[in-house]
Amino acid sequence: MQLWIDDTQLDTTDNLEAAFEIARKHAEESGRLIIDIQADGQPIDDALLDEPPTDAGGITELRLTTTDYNAFLIETIETAKDALESTRGDQIEAADQIRTGEMEPAIESLKAVLEGWHAVRDVVGQSAALADINVDTLEIIDAKGTKTTGAQCVDALSKALAEVRNCLGKSDWASLGDAIEYDLDDQVNTWTALLNAMIQQIQNNPSTTA
């Protein structure tokens, strides 16, 4: 089985499990991340990824594509920033719908808000782990020049979301509208600053690897 990673041919092997290990080490030593695996010109079967056999698995050519590790992380975080802006839009819509008494659409908008925040928090956690960033101690300066830490940022969002859920549970629509419009909007600003701080940290550590 021929083994390629980008334009480089690696050692030939008839062991798929060993091929993955060879490719992983090569990518790690090069500071790159594997983003695509093709087996004989087709996307590799997930089952072979989950439990790679100790033979070739019927594959004659295994070709892997990589990307710059830090560039991938930064792109992922930039995508999370875009998602935050989309979530801000959902928050504005939900608050407006609550004020005009459009409760069913408001609940749908609020669902999108909560899903948006869940996704952003996941990106922060996963990216921090991959980049070896301690979010808790990360210093953040928001657009107003206010300094905080990642730990305070995470805690503030948890409290804001808990308040939203509390107001929703009590059907306190006026307080819910305020929590969405003001508290969560502040969180968008703070978390954008957190994401920017993560990007800066990655840029300052060009040797980051998996």
Side-chain angles (χ1 to χ4, degrees), residues 54-119:
T54 53
D55 58 26
I59 299 169
T60 57
E61 181 187 79
L62 190 68
R63 190 174 288 269
L64 301 94
T65 303
T66 70
T67 187
D68 179 81
Y69 195 84
N70 284 2
F72 173 80
L73 289 175
I74 290 171
E75 182 181 355
T76 299
I77 295 171
E78 289 286 0
T79 299
K81 288 171 60 179
D82 292 339
L84 260 185
E85 283 304 313
S86 177
T87 298
R88 190 199 296 270
D90 290 329
Q91 290 171 183
I92 292 171
E93 188 172 19
D96 288 343
Q97 289 165 337
I98 288 170
R99 287 196 177 85
T100 56
E102 302 172 76
M103 301 317 300
E104 286 191 18
I107 296 301
E108 286 302 311
S109 296
L110 185 55
K111 180 180 178 182
V113 167
L114 296 177
E115 289 175 349
W117 277 111
H118 179 75

Side-chain angles (χ1 to χ4, degrees), residues 36-57:
D36 185 60
I37 303 176
Q38 297 277 319
D40 294 328
Q42 299 294 325
I44 192 167
D45 192 310
D46 286 343
L48 295 177
L49 290 175
D50 295 335
E51 295 185 17
T54 53
D55 58 26

Side-chain angles (χ1 to χ4, degrees), residues 35-206:
I35 58 171
D36 185 60
I37 303 176
Q38 297 277 319
D40 294 328
Q42 299 294 325
I44 192 167
D45 192 310
D46 286 343
L48 295 177
L49 290 175
D50 295 335
E51 295 185 17
T54 53
D55 58 26
I59 299 169
T60 57
E61 181 187 79
L62 190 68
R63 190 174 288 269
L64 301 94
T65 303
T66 70
T67 187
D68 179 81
Y69 195 84
N70 284 2
F72 173 80
L73 289 175
I74 290 171
E75 182 181 355
T76 299
I77 295 171
E78 289 286 0
T79 299
K81 288 171 60 179
D82 292 339
L84 260 185
E85 283 304 313
S86 177
T87 298
R88 190 199 296 270
D90 290 329
Q91 290 171 183
I92 292 171
E93 188 172 19
D96 288 343
Q97 289 165 337
I98 288 170
R99 287 196 177 85
T100 56
E102 302 172 76
M103 301 317 300
E104 286 191 18
I107 296 301
E108 286 302 311
S109 296
L110 185 55
K111 180 180 178 182
V113 167
L114 296 177
E115 289 175 349
W117 277 111
H118 179 75
V120 170
R121 289 198 294 187
D122 279 351
V123 169
V124 167
Q126 293 165 7
S127 297
L130 289 170
D132 196 23
I133 294 174
N134 186 338
V135 172
D136 288 348
T137 59
L138 189 63
E139 185 177 274
I140 301 160
I141 303 177
D142 65 20
K144 299 178 181 178
T146 304
K147 291 184 179 181
T148 186
T149 65
Q152 292 171 319
C153 183
V154 171
D155 184 59
L157 176 62
S158 295
K159 289 179 179 177
L161 291 175
E163 178 63 15
V164 166
R165 292 188 178 95
N166 182 50
C167 292
L168 184 60
K170 295 189 299 184
S171 299
D172 185 348
W173 306 120
S175 296
L176 178 60
D178 288 343
I180 294 170
E181 183 172 9
Y182 301 111
D183 296 345
L184 284 186
D185 190 67
D186 285 342
Q187 291 306 311
V188 171
N189 296 330
T190 303
W191 276 67
T192 297
L194 168 61
L195 293 168
N196 284 332
M198 291 180 67
I199 289 173
Q200 187 63 50
Q201 183 87 348
I202 293 168
Q203 291 174 334
N204 291 340
N205 293 278

